Amino acid sequence: MSTAPNDRLPRLTPAVAETRLAVREALDEAALPAQSLVLVALSGGPDSFALAAASVFEGEKAGLRVGAVIVDHGLQAESAEVAEKTATLARNLGLDPVIVTRVEVTDHSDGPESAARSARYTAFRNAARETGAVRIFLGHTRDDQAEQVLLALARGSGSRSLAGIPPKRGLFVRPILGVSSQTTAQACEDAGIDPWQDPHNEDPAYTRSRVRHRVIPVLEAELGPGIVDALARTAELAREDSEAFDEMISEIIEEIVEPAEAGIAVHSGALFANPAALRNRIIRYVAKAEFGVQLTRQHTLEVAKLVTDYKGQGALHLPGIRVKREGAYIVMSAAPGAEDHPGTIL
């Protein structure tokens, strides 16, 4: 892992220019105060290093400080050495401060990828709190977005999941989400950066590795090139739809719900008057916001039947929640034994 000397600026190639432009647009949108600190989540791979190099360049122009946070998951024998080499290269690029933190990935109940992600994001938040960083830049690319959409399709998910990886959410921003991994690799080469190649990215034991190296190539071979771009466009369209629905729900939710003795009541007439897509989203929203329950598609449809096809059926006993029809209302309450969840609607 190496880089060109500090005093040698990388030549402005198309790949370098594209990554810089993506970062510049993210910084312009964020409109951060001068001397604010932005941390780049640096894995050592080409995506995050291309992001880091572009962030240093654009951050300096914008009057911002740019540092890095490097998480050592401890999942590989050489992980500590890789983290230190990554830190050295980050400092050579001008990132300051450079934070290296080791995490313990212990809870594998949802799989090793999910466990590592959870530990990593906790480390990111801790680093931001300790340094006063106002944003953390993540190096997800258009290829990552395509893979996320493909996985959502395989699960039969709705538009919220098909929206894929969000460009920004709170502390976290993904400036190069519209840039391809091919471009980030070329940007590193053009800048004289020799990034680390994570062997996990090639390991077929990991779902994302199989999607990237097996599934997408087959789709491109059988359906033609441009699959990654098409999947990324799908995410953009789904995100627009999802955001529109969220706005509609926020506008009407307080008008159609009211407290009930044991929980919360939603006016069935208002639910009936809305199209199925919005009605089902309202049902899921109330269950999640009031009781912390994520209803499945099947459970949502069962609740909707209390609105659209009510024939005197009794209460529904769903995981963590009880739902019944009472006159003109659908009443939701916490299931006996379920943990209390603070309501957020009323």
Side-chain angles (χ1 to χ4, degrees):
M1 198 183 294
S2 62
T3 185
N6 242 359
D7 57 357
R8 200 199 95 194
L9 290 175
R11 56 197 177 94
L12 186 58
T13 64
V16 171
E18 185 176 346
T19 54
R20 286 182 181 177
L21 177 60
V23 170
R24 187 185 315 153
E25 290 175 345
L27 290 176
D28 287 346
E29 184 177 354
L32 303 175
Q35 293 304 303
S36 295
L37 175 63
V38 173
L39 292 179
V40 177
L42 198 53
S43 68
D47 297 337
S48 64
F49 259 125
L51 172 61
S55 297
V56 168
F57 183 86
E58 295 295 335
E60 182 177 350
K61 288 171 57 180
L64 303 173
R65 295 179 295 136
V66 180
V69 53
I70 300 162
V71 177
D72 174 11
H73 297 85
L75 297 176
Q76 301 176 40
E78 73 281 9
S79 64
E81 181 182 355
V82 170
E84 285 305 319
K85 287 182 177 179
T86 300
T88 298
L89 179 48
R91 295 185 186 101
N92 289 342
L93 285 173
L95 292 132
D96 182 36
V98 175
I99 302 161
V100 179
T101 180
R102 185 181 176 96
V103 298
E104 296 294 329
V105 183
T106 55
D107 181 9
H108 291 260
S109 57
D110 293 326
E113 292 171 281
S114 177
R117 182 185 185 279
S118 178
R120 182 165 61 250
Y121 276 75
T122 297
F124 292 159
R125 293 186 181 93
N126 290 340
R129 184 168 55 251
E130 293 167 5
T131 61
V134 295
R135 294 290 188 278
I136 293 181
F137 280 4
L138 303 175
H140 295 103
T141 66
R142 189 164 64 217
D143 297 74
D144 296 310
Q145 184 70 289
E147 293 158 17
Q148 187 75 11
V149 173
L150 201 55
L151 289 169
L153 285 169
R155 293 192 298 265
S157 302
S159 60
R160 187 178 298 279
S161 292
L162 290 178
I165 306 169
K168 58 181 179 180
R169 178 174 290 166
L171 178 68
F172 300 102
V173 179
R174 299 174 173 87
I176 59 172
L177 193 58
V179 178
S180 72
S181 291
Q182 182 179 3
T183 296
T184 59
Q186 187 62 53
C188 285
E189 182 177 339
D190 295 342
I193 299 172
D194 181 18
W196 176 60
Q197 302 297 334
D198 187 351
H200 281 174
N201 291 337
E202 307 289 333
D203 189 346
Y206 293 91
T207 303
R208 281 194 175 274
S209 176
R210 296 196 300 274
V211 170
R212 175 168 294 189
H213 298 292
R214 294 181 181 179
V215 178
I216 289 181
V218 169
L219 290 175
E220 290 185 334
E222 297 298 329
L223 302 178
I227 292 297
V228 168
D229 290 346
L231 290 169
R233 284 196 302 274
T234 296
E236 292 177 5
L237 294 170
R239 187 179 310 112
E240 290 175 358
D241 290 347
S242 184
E243 289 173 353
F245 276 121
D246 288 345
E247 287 185 14
M248 294 172 69
I249 290 173
S250 66
E251 290 175 357
I252 67 174
I253 191 70
E254 293 187 6
E255 298 177 3
I256 67 172
V257 300
E258 59 184 64
E261 183 177 351
I264 192 166
V266 188
H267 198 283
S268 62
L271 287 174
F272 186 85
N274 282 293
L278 188 54
R279 178 167 57 245
N280 293 340
R281 281 174 176 266
I282 292 172
I283 291 170
R284 289 195 296 270
Y285 177 89
V286 174
K288 179 67 174 178
E290 286 297 305
F291 307 101
V293 173
Q294 188 70 53
L295 293 179
T296 66
R297 169 71 172 173
Q298 183 60 37
H299 290 157
T300 303
L301 293 178
E302 289 300 317
V303 175
K305 285 182 180 178
L306 297 176
V307 177
T308 61
D309 192 27
Y310 183 63
K311 298 176 181 177
Q313 58 262 47
L316 298 172
H317 297 274
L318 307 177
I321 191 172
R322 181 174 182 267
V323 188
K324 63 178 179 177
R325 176 77 176 255
E326 290 187 2
Y329 290 91
I330 304 299
V331 178
M332 297 185 182
S333 57
E339 294 182 0
D340 291 337
H341 184 275
T344 59
I345 295 178
L346 300 174

